[in-house]
Amino acid sequence: MNADSGAYAGPWAGVFPAPAPVPSVSLPPRALRRLLGHFPTGVAIVCARDAQGKPQGLTINSFVPISLQPPLVLWNLALHAQSLSTFQRATQFAISVLGAGQEALARRFADPQVRHRFADVPLLDDGEDAPPRIAGAVVHLTCTRHAQWPVGDHLLLAGRIVDVREEGGAPLLFHRGRFQAGPVETLVEVR
């Protein structure tokens, strides 16, 4: 963005101009987080390998599909996250959508104090170069890096799905600060 004009100068300049800046709501971050917690989300662990091939992973609930053709998903990572450089540089990452019985793993991978997150965690055997996938998850998506954008205090990461594996079962949900089991129902496709 040009500081003088305030006009958007990105790849869609002229097509989707940015609106004029307006003041934001004045809420402390904890209060905003509590309010946004009314929206239930799924829980996943995203994994990649760092430059030395060591697995890195963290719990996310910011995961969302954004395109069917091509198949793209989006998630975000705080700019202060310890694993930021790993995910910025990774050409591949894997998203394991956790099952209802995997709350302990969700908590483990969300805790920045846990130093060896992968110790004794069962993984699917994909080879040493592949991003790790968490065994027992209901769905696995392996993605290549498609794009990334810094937005506010987070980095948005878009991935192109190159491989899927569906195990089934009840997903783990997060709602109003609590984990809970999602439903196990036969899905009916909406047309």
Side-chain angles (χ1 to χ4, degrees):
M1 182 179 285
N2 182 326
D4 297 313
S5 70
Y8 174 70
W12 296 99
V15 179
F16 298 108
V22 295
S24 298
V25 65
S26 180
L27 280 175
R30 284 175 94 60
L32 182 58
R33 184 179 199 154
R34 184 186 58 76
L35 288 171
L36 296 176
H38 285 278
F39 182 67
T41 63
V43 183
I45 294 176
V46 62
C47 300
R49 294 198 180 271
D50 66 16
Q52 291 75 40
K54 181 180 172 188
Q56 299 287 322
L58 65 140
T59 301
I60 60 171
N61 67 344
S62 61
F63 165 71
V64 63
I66 56 171
S67 173
L68 298 177
Q69 290 298 323
L72 300 174
V73 295
L74 184 73
W75 64 284
N76 68 64
L77 180 61
L79 293 175
H80 66 269
Q82 295 171 350
S83 57
L84 179 66
S85 64
T86 294
F87 286 102
Q88 282 180 307
R89 294 182 178 117
T91 58
Q92 282 193 331
F93 58 85
I95 297 173
S96 298
V97 177
L98 297 183
Q102 295 183 304
E103 179 180 338
L105 281 177
R107 290 183 183 282
R108 178 182 192 155
F109 278 79
D111 186 347
Q113 302 303 313
V114 175
R115 297 180 73 64
H116 303 288
R117 291 180 175 169
F118 288 91
D120 301 320
V121 172
L123 302 173
L124 299 181
D125 187 16
D126 292 322
E128 292 182 21
D129 294 335
R133 296 183 301 162
I134 307 295
V138 297
V139 171
H140 302 277
L141 306 171
T142 301
C143 304
T144 57
R145 182 179 57 211
H146 181 76
Q148 49 187 286
W149 310 269
V151 177
D153 60 359
H154 279 68
L155 180 69
L156 298 181
L157 297 113
R160 185 181 191 120
I161 302 169
V162 295
D163 188 42
V164 297
R165 181 171 172 171
E166 183 177 9
E167 303 294 333
L172 182 63
L173 300 180
F174 191 71
H175 180 239
R176 298 187 73 188
R178 294 190 181 110
F179 291 100
Q180 57 191 10
V184 181
E185 299 174 4
T186 304
L187 296 178
V188 178
E189 189 172 326
V190 178
R191 295 176 193 236

